[in-house]
Amino acid sequence: MPLALPPLSYPYSALEPTIDELTMRIHHDQHHGGYVAGLNAALEGPRGQTARRGAAGRPRAATSKGQVFHYFPGGKSDLVSAIASLQAERVLDAQRPFIDTLDTWDDWERWRDAVLAHYRSQPHWGCPIGALTAELIRNEPDLATELAAHMDRWRGYLEAGLTQMMESIEPLEAALEGALTALRDAATTSPT
């Protein structure tokens, strides 16, 4: 889920005759679009520089710090929030389709195998959301709360899977209890 260039909030020709439509198209689509492409390149490659360096490391982009903050007016907090959202989607995407249906032990084993295979293929080990959250708890507690919500979303998938498994075990448990009761009753009523 890369960052997207927001659409211009007014028609390209709205500033004519001071600024013509072609100049606005070039400025917005190519100039600003190039900055967004540079940010996406910094976030994506190689394998997410920020994931390796954490929130303290500024991603290398073909844009200046001022240009980066033009798109993230809240500064570093907005940028890290965008990175966390991108990474949260990556975490979930790496675990799909398995995390969506954790109804049986086989499903859990396939999910585990997918997670291990994904992280073994990465140049760094560990959860990118957990690493960012741990780092920001000390420095920016408000942002850490937002990042923790991504972890809670992931945990929600796991909790839903466990709940589904427990619900599927309850009828089996009731059947076993009934069978044991029948055996016990049969044993107490049979002649000795």
Side-chain angles (χ1 to χ4, degrees):
M1 179 171 127
L3 303 173
L5 176 66
L8 197 58
S9 60
Y10 48 86
Y12 288 105
S13 60
L15 301 177
E16 288 183 337
T18 307
I19 301 174
D20 65 89
E21 181 178 341
L22 178 61
T23 301
M24 284 303 297
R25 286 187 183 279
I26 291 170
H27 182 74
H28 178 264
D29 299 350
Q30 295 177 5
H31 182 71
H32 289 284
Y35 293 145
V36 172
L39 287 171
N40 282 326
L43 295 174
E44 292 290 334
R47 300 252 188 188
Q49 296 172 14
T50 305
R52 284 198 313 275
R53 290 196 227 138
R58 190 173 127 235
R60 290 185 185 141
T63 58
S64 72
K65 188 174 182 180
Q67 292 163 337
V68 169
F69 291 129
H70 172 76
Y71 293 99
F72 301 98
K76 180 179 172 182
S77 294
D78 282 0
L79 177 61
V80 172
S81 178
I83 291 167
S85 295
L86 177 72
Q87 293 288 47
E89 288 307 312
R90 285 179 174 169
V91 166
L92 291 174
D93 288 346
Q95 298 177 31
R96 285 197 169 104
F98 309 107
I99 198 167
D100 294 322
T101 55
L102 296 173
D103 300 340
T104 67
W105 283 116
D106 287 341
D107 293 337
W108 281 88
E109 288 174 353
R110 283 191 291 274
W111 169 77
R112 177 205 60 207
D113 294 345
V115 169
L116 291 174
H118 171 74
Y119 284 108
R120 283 182 181 138
S121 73
Q122 302 299 306
H124 53 280
W125 183 257
C127 175
I129 303 303
L132 283 171
T133 303
E135 182 177 336
L136 292 172
I137 284 174
R138 294 183 301 274
N139 304 324
E140 298 184 48
D142 292 339
L143 188 55
T145 301
E146 180 185 336
L147 296 175
H150 292 299
M151 291 293 288
D152 290 342
R153 181 177 166 212
W154 175 76
R155 275 191 213 104
Y157 281 97
L158 301 181
E159 288 173 10
L162 288 172
T163 300
Q164 180 64 31
M165 285 203 47
M166 292 302 295
E167 289 172 359
S168 67
I169 289 174
E170 287 173 3
L172 177 62
E173 185 179 19
L176 286 172
E177 188 175 325
L180 289 173
T181 301
L183 285 172
R184 185 186 65 228
D185 290 346
T188 58
T189 59
S190 63
T192 54

